[in-house]
Amino acid sequence: QVQLVESGGGLVQAGGSLRLSCTASGRTFSITVMSWYRQAPGKRRELVATIPSGGGAAYADSVKGRFTISGDNAKNTVYLEMNSLKPEDTAVYYCHAGQSVPSGDFANYWGQGTQVTVSS
């Protein structure tokens, strides 16, 4: 099992920056991908950024050029650098880990979420 703990959320003015962190603990081997999702009130949870273990980050179009996902394997931590924040970025941000299992499927783990609020 894997436990994910996010931190770094908060209130920021439009145009500002935040860095979210997600630290994985437990049985962290065989994690193949780490991602950040977000969910705003009344909206479906959406993928923001993802970084496979082999590299090659991908981003939602809405955040491309503004957000950067990165990882520190030594610390079992993934980051989301958020720049030029907009009010529409306001959401609860969730860390996600996908872990390979013997069946060939993935075990999915979620953090508790951290609130990001961007004021206009």
Side-chain angles (χ1 to χ4, degrees), residues 5-117:
V5 178
E6 304 106 326
S7 63
L11 175 65
V12 65
Q13 291 185 323
S17 300
L18 284 173
R19 186 183 73 170
L20 306 183
S21 299
C22 172
T23 299
S25 61
R27 302 175 70 87
T28 58
F29 58 89
S30 295
I31 291 177
T32 60
V33 61
M34 298 286 292
S35 305
W36 287 97
Y37 288 74
R38 68 185 181 187
Q39 187 167 23
K43 295 184 178 180
R44 187 174 182 175
R45 188 172 299 184
E46 65 171 339
L47 177 66
V48 176
T50 187
I51 182 166
S53 61
Y59 301 89
D61 288 341
S62 59
V63 307
K64 234 171 190 175
R66 299 189 297 120
F67 292 10
T68 302
I69 188 170
S70 62
D72 186 336
N73 290 333
K75 297 195 291 187
N76 293 315
T77 299
V78 65
Y79 304 95
L80 185 67
E81 298 277 357
M82 304 185 295
N83 301 308
S84 301
L85 283 162
K86 305 174 181 179
E88 49 263 47
D89 295 319
T90 296
V92 177
Y93 284 71
Y94 297 91
C95 181
H96 171 267
Q99 183 183 58
S100 64
V101 296
S103 67
D105 295 321
F106 288 87
N108 294 292
Y109 299 94
W110 295 92
Q112 80 285 356
T114 185
Q115 176 71 47
V116 172
T117 302

